[in-house]
Amino acid sequence: MRWWQGILLYITILYIGGPLFIIFPMPGGIYNDIVIRLVTLVIAAIFLLPNPYACRTLFRLRRPLLGWTLAIAAGLTMVSQVTILVAFWTEPDMSAIVHPGAAWAQFLSIVILAPLSEELVLRGGIVTGLCEILPWQVTVALSGLLFARGHSSFKALQALFAGVILGYLCWYTGSILYGVLIHMFINAFPGSQYMFALLEYSAALGTAVCLLLIAGGVALTLWGVRGFTRRADRSTA
């Protein structure tokens, strides 16, 4: 995908909602998110379908790397406890980190459409596109910053770390599919409410557990990335 296509998709996913919902009123909440992500995916398909090689590259998957992909997903899921910790100490209300809507809409938006659209935009568009004109380190860091920018303030630290890791995997392999699978795994993990309940029961104990999980998650993620890159040379990944 070209760099300008990635930027256009990023603008679409962030800002199309306002004018779109003035013309076509929506119920709000998670349903608006679904519409925005579907529009983004349609535009991405228009960019990609005329180029079958780009489609194959962006969605390439090697089974020998799936074990390391799972390790990275588990590590980033542990790191995601930083969101619960920040939300608890800054805005202790579980409703602050979810959008209202039916269970099917939550699953469709958060577990399916969000990983697909965000990985296409930020990794498929920004990383693969800007790597043509900028050093890969800059594009990976930029994708992480833009990923954090697109999330709420209490999710920014988690999003920045995850965005850099997923951007690196995309640069290394040329594929967004590893990132999509990791992103889906993280978003589908149901443990946040239990950690929030532990924090409400005992702030000190919950904070200590969160910090241990975060530290372990960082270590597991970096170990997974190291194994991932050792398992496959970049030229064949």
Side-chain angles (χ1 to χ4, degrees):
M1 196 179 295
R2 309 295 294 180
W3 64 268
W4 63 267
Q5 294 172 334
I7 292 174
L8 179 59
L9 288 172
Y10 183 73
I11 294 171
T12 298
I13 203 169
L14 279 188
Y15 301 113
I16 196 175
L20 183 65
F21 300 137
I22 291 174
I23 302 171
F24 305 103
M26 292 291 296
I30 202 75
Y31 306 101
N32 287 6
D33 290 349
I34 290 173
V35 172
I36 292 170
R37 296 184 190 287
L38 286 174
V39 170
T40 304
L41 290 174
V42 169
I43 296 173
I46 292 171
F47 290 154
L48 289 172
L49 288 178
N51 189 345
Y53 175 77
C55 291
R56 289 195 300 269
T57 301
L58 276 179
F59 292 96
R60 182 175 54 201
L61 186 69
R62 291 189 57 203
R63 284 185 293 177
L65 297 176
L66 289 179
W68 295 109
T69 302
L70 179 59
I72 297 168
L76 288 176
T77 301
M78 294 167 66
V79 173
S80 70
Q81 301 308 307
V82 71
T83 292
I84 306 301
L85 196 60
V86 173
F88 177 79
W89 287 109
T90 60
E91 191 173 356
D93 179 4
M94 198 59 185
S95 65
I97 60 176
V98 296
H99 292 294
W104 69 265
Q106 297 277 352
F107 182 85
L108 177 62
S109 178
I110 296 171
V111 179
I112 304 298
L113 295 180
L116 279 171
S117 59
E118 291 174 9
E119 294 307 312
L120 264 172
V121 172
L122 291 165
R123 261 61 75 174
I126 300 298
V127 171
T128 62
L130 288 180
C131 272
E132 298 178 359
I133 57 176
L134 294 172
W136 70 266
Q137 297 93 333
V138 175
T139 63
V140 168
L142 180 61
S143 77
L145 290 170
L146 293 177
F147 193 47
R149 165 67 179 78
H151 288 74
S152 305
S153 58
F154 46 79
K155 295 183 179 180
L157 286 175
Q158 171 202 347
L160 177 61
F161 183 71
V164 169
I165 296 296
L166 298 181
Y168 177 77
L169 294 181
C170 178
W171 166 78
Y172 194 83
T173 64
S175 171
I176 67 166
L177 202 49
Y178 302 102
V180 170
L181 294 175
I182 292 169
H183 204 149
M184 287 181 171
F185 185 97
I186 297 169
N187 286 10
F189 188 73
S192 58
Q193 64 267 34
Y194 302 112
M195 185 56 65
F196 209 87
L198 177 60
L199 283 162
E200 290 182 323
Y201 172 76
S202 171
L205 176 61
T207 299
V209 172
C210 276
L211 291 174
L212 286 173
L213 286 172
I214 293 165
V218 170
L220 180 58
T221 299
L222 297 179
W223 177 76
V225 171
R226 184 183 182 189
F228 189 102
T229 52
R230 284 189 170 188
R231 186 68 179 78
D233 183 81
R234 182 170 180 262
S235 62
T236 61

